[in-house]
Amino acid sequence: MAHSGKPQRIGAVKQITSHSNPIVKEIKGLIAQRKHRSQSGLFVAEGLKLATDAMAADWGVRYLALGPEARDNPIAQKAAATAKARGALILEVSNAVMSAMTRKDNPQMVVGVYEQKTLSAREIDPRGGTVWVALDRVRDPGNLGTIIRTVDAVGGSGVMLVGDCTDPFAVEAVRATMGSLFHVPLAKMSKDDFKDLAGKWPGTVAATHLKGSVDYRTPDYQEPALLVMGNEQKGLEDDMADACSTLIRIPQTGQADSLNLAVATGIALYEIRRNLLEL
Ligand code: SAM
């Protein structure tokens, strides 16, 4: 998406009270459409916590919009000062403009526009890592965000998005990461690149599979581990499963066909890191 109108002075502050301001339209476009996010390489993250996380992670920021309440909030002011020093345009917006940009049910005092950042398969260096999670065609943004958050919680090294996945920079996915998006490396790759990487992976490559014959609690997982998860509807593709050394299964009783993808990922991650995490 083309950036709005005439060039904006970076590292400056601008007041906005009109819904039809081109920057407001640009932000709404980034929230609404993947096409705008891909073309611009930008995305929107709502809330002060995410702004603070982004600043702590030295993340590239284009705009930080502050509602009236943020002007008396020292944490918001600190985030704005950091963003401004990093070249962002600070937008002071009215409540009406802020709620036009965010969810009506949960208005935010801060909305940030940040630069997207993903790795390619070639940029992944497993050495010194703990556990990476590879997701085969993940479709649900809430699942993806929850998985990124859980990888962060267990001290994982990153998440690989294999094939046609949901957009990790969609506002629902970003929201579900609760800020972990700014701390967990994300890589995008084709299935062939994944298979190459899995073939030379130095640690355990374990796929969760409903046909797995190995109880997920039995392998002696070697780090860096690679945990491979299937698509919500179709499960893991056969050739991806063939690229893994172990097919693990989480036992189930009752009538459920399978576990939710994010839940299964969390259970397996905590088992893989069982002896390495302590309170
Ligand atoms: N209908 C799909 C199938 O037949 O595989 C169900 C997919 S399930 C909702 C999504 C993914 O979560 C699976 O591909 C697998 O990676 C993981 N998963 C869910 N329940 C699991 C279990 N009990 N054991 C191992 N993996 C599981």
Side-chain angles (χ1 to χ4, degrees):
M1 184 188 191
H3 291 301
S4 39
K6 56 184 186 233
Q8 299 295 335
R9 260 187 322 125
I10 55 168
V13 179
K14 182 179 171 66
Q15 263 88 33
I16 299 183
T17 49
S18 161
H19 291 211
S20 54
N21 180 287
I23 301 179
V24 173
K25 286 191 182 158
E26 183 185 351
I27 294 175
K28 284 162 90 173
L30 289 170
I31 292 174
Q33 289 196 39
R34 186 173 192 164
K35 181 181 75 177
H36 291 325
R37 294 190 292 274
S38 326
Q39 285 169 358
S40 64
L42 298 173
F43 70 100
V44 172
E46 305 162 325
L48 180 54
K49 159 131 184 20
L50 274 76
T52 311
D53 277 311
M55 294 307 107
D58 242 343
W59 202 279
V61 50
R62 182 70 55 93
Y63 307 126
L64 207 61
L66 308 179
E69 283 169 41
R71 282 163 224 160
D72 302 321
N73 181 305
I75 301 171
Q77 287 304 317
K78 187 162 175 246
T82 311
K84 189 162 172 253
R86 254 178 235 166
L89 180 64
I90 307 303
L91 310 171
E92 293 187 345
V93 305
S94 61
N95 270 332
V97 168
M98 189 57 106
S99 55
M101 291 191 298
T102 60
R103 279 183 297 174
K104 309 271 174 303
D105 57 336
N106 186 15
Q108 302 287 333
M109 70 162 95
V110 174
V111 169
V113 174
Y114 305 95
E115 290 164 14
Q116 298 185 17
K117 200 156 63 177
T118 52
L119 304 170
S120 66
R122 228 173 302 126
E123 290 172 295
I124 293 181
D125 182 359
R127 288 170 305 175
T130 54
V131 54
W132 281 80
V133 172
L135 300 172
D136 172 21
R137 301 161 298 159
V138 56
R139 298 310 311 160
D140 183 280
N143 276 344
L144 175 54
T146 304
I147 290 169
I148 293 170
R149 180 179 178 184
T150 311
V151 168
D152 189 14
V154 300
S157 297
V159 173
M160 302 176 193
L161 300 171
V162 184
D164 182 19
C165 289
T166 191
D167 182 5
F169 300 107
V171 80
E172 300 81 9
V174 173
R175 200 179 283 151
T177 73
M178 295 293 288
S180 293
L181 177 78
F182 296 113
H183 306 298
V184 174
L186 277 184
K188 284 187 187 168
M189 66 191 69
S190 66
K191 193 165 66 164
D192 286 342
D193 283 343
F194 165 80
K195 289 194 281 184
D196 280 353
L197 198 57
K200 43 188 196 227
W201 195 263
T204 304
V205 182
T208 56
H209 205 291
L210 298 182
K211 293 194 189 127
S213 56
V214 177
D215 184 310
Y216 78 109
R217 294 164 291 194
T218 53
D220 179 17
Y221 296 100
Q222 299 298 314
E223 292 196 343
L226 176 54
L227 174 65
V228 185
M229 307 297 304
N231 165 272
E232 290 95 334
Q233 273 80 45
K234 297 181 181 148
L236 188 64
E237 286 212 284
D238 287 345
D239 56 344
M240 281 184 69
D242 291 345
C244 302
S245 44
T246 321
L247 290 194
I248 54 174
R249 181 154 54 97
I250 303 166
Q252 291 182 213
T253 181
Q255 304 306 308
D257 291 337
S258 63
L259 294 165
N260 162 274
L261 170 63
V263 169
T265 309
I267 292 173
L269 278 175
Y270 270 90
E271 183 58 30
I272 291 170
R273 303 232 70 215
R274 168 195 281 277
N275 298 319
L276 298 149
L277 295 173
E278 43 189 54
L279 284 181

